[in-house]
Amino acid sequence: QSVLTQPPSTSGTPGQRVSISCSGSRSNVGTNTVYWYQQLPGTAPKLLIYGNGRRPSGVPDRFSASKSGTSVSLAISGLRSEDEADYYCVTWDDSLNGYVFGTGTTVTVL
Amino acid sequence: QVQLIQSGAEVRKPGASVKVSCKVSGSSVTEASLHWVRQAPGKGLEWMGFFDPEDGQTVYAHEFQGRLTVTEDTSTDTAYMELTTLRSEDTALYFCAMIIQYEIFDLWGQGTLVTVSS
């Protein structure tokens, strides 16, 4: 059972803004950098957000991240059909001495 | 262009072991730490452990302690993940991933499906 909690699913219509939360604790989200991945079925995850909200080359600025205490959020603005996927947060946990992934959130574009 | 190329699908019986390989093409296996992540069917991502080439140490997630061994062969630039005492819950897609540029797993293999079934 993951120590990072995400909502199982969220949805929106094209053009809308959706947000995905990732709730942890002081030993993980509260202390360390949180990263975000997008995963399409049967494929390897794709890095969306790293190091304090930065995006790798090629990731559109429709994706953004924020942090408040022991929770972080990924926002997708101007929702598009190709954004329909699973999204995961991940960070290092100082107590567990390892990386921990969030439970994952499925985004559906209506 | 650096790529991670994993070995093919495996089928094992409960109690057996499996060894999955991950070849680093276009670079060296010692270039960066190589991690293992798995995903059971319909489930989320689960970090398993990694080999740190800087100090030669391995770090394993608690739930895999005693069953997981991660090694590297620098002569062939290939990393290996061996999981023993397999059970049905170990049926999953196993990924290798490296931290190259973005401080986290930014290069992934294609995944290796391991099926544990009697």
Side-chain angles (χ1 to χ4, degrees):
Chain A
Q1 190 169 353
S2 176
V3 299
L4 302 184
T5 303
Q6 299 179 230
S9 63
T10 190
S11 63
T13 56
Q16 274 191 327
R17 180 181 186 275
V18 298
S19 182
I20 301 167
S21 62
C22 171
S23 179
S25 65
R26 186 159 51 185
S27 67
N28 43 65
V29 175
T31 304
N32 299 303
T33 300
V34 179
Y35 307 86
W36 287 93
Y37 285 91
Q38 176 193 64
Q39 187 184 32
L40 298 174
T43 67
K46 172 189 174 182
L47 182 63
L48 288 179
I49 299 288
Y50 74 101
N52 294 322
R54 289 179 287 178
R55 293 176 301 277
S57 173
V59 175
D61 59 6
R62 300 185 296 104
F63 295 91
S64 62
S66 61
K67 179 177 179 178
S68 178
T70 57
S71 289
V72 294
S73 292
L74 173 73
I76 310 173
S77 59
L79 195 64
R80 303 177 65 151
S81 58
E82 58 259 40
D83 299 332
E84 192 162 280
D86 294 327
Y87 293 81
Y88 295 91
C89 56
V90 61
T91 187
W92 180 264
D93 189 297
D94 292 339
S95 296
L96 297 176
N97 195 38
Y99 285 95
V100 287
F101 280 94
T103 47
T105 300
T106 298
V107 171
T108 301
V109 181
L110 302 171
Chain B
Q1 181 180 356
V2 183
Q3 296 181 73
L4 301 181
I5 303 168
Q6 297 186 226
S7 49
E10 304 272 11
V11 179
R12 294 287 186 273
K13 293 189 182 302
S17 300
V18 69
K19 194 170 186 177
V20 177
S21 69
C22 173
K23 179 168 176 59
V24 181
S25 174
S27 184
S28 168
V29 73
T30 60
E31 183 69 24
S33 61
L34 196 142
H35 298 246
W36 293 88
V37 175
R38 77 176 185 179
Q39 185 170 36
K43 302 296 185 180
L45 300 168
E46 183 177 25
W47 179 80
M48 301 178 68
F50 77 103
F51 180 90
D52 190 342
E54 288 194 0
D55 58 13
Q57 299 296 308
T58 51
V59 179
Y60 301 135
H62 176 75
E63 49 267 45
F64 298 105
Q65 296 276 359
R67 292 206 300 142
L68 175 65
T69 303
V70 172
T71 56
E72 294 188 350
D73 182 344
T74 56
S75 68
T76 60
D77 286 318
T78 302
Y80 297 92
M81 183 282 300
E82 182 173 24
L83 192 61
T84 63
T85 320
L86 291 169
R87 30 195 188 245
S88 59
E89 309 90 88
D90 294 317
T91 293
L93 190 58
Y94 288 77
F95 293 101
C96 58
M98 287 185 91
I99 298 177
I100 301 288
Q101 181 179 1
Y102 295 116
E103 312 159 2
I104 191 65
F105 327 121
D106 49 1
L107 179 66
W108 293 71
Q110 81 275 23
T112 296
L113 180 62
V114 174
T115 302
V116 182
S117 174
S118 56

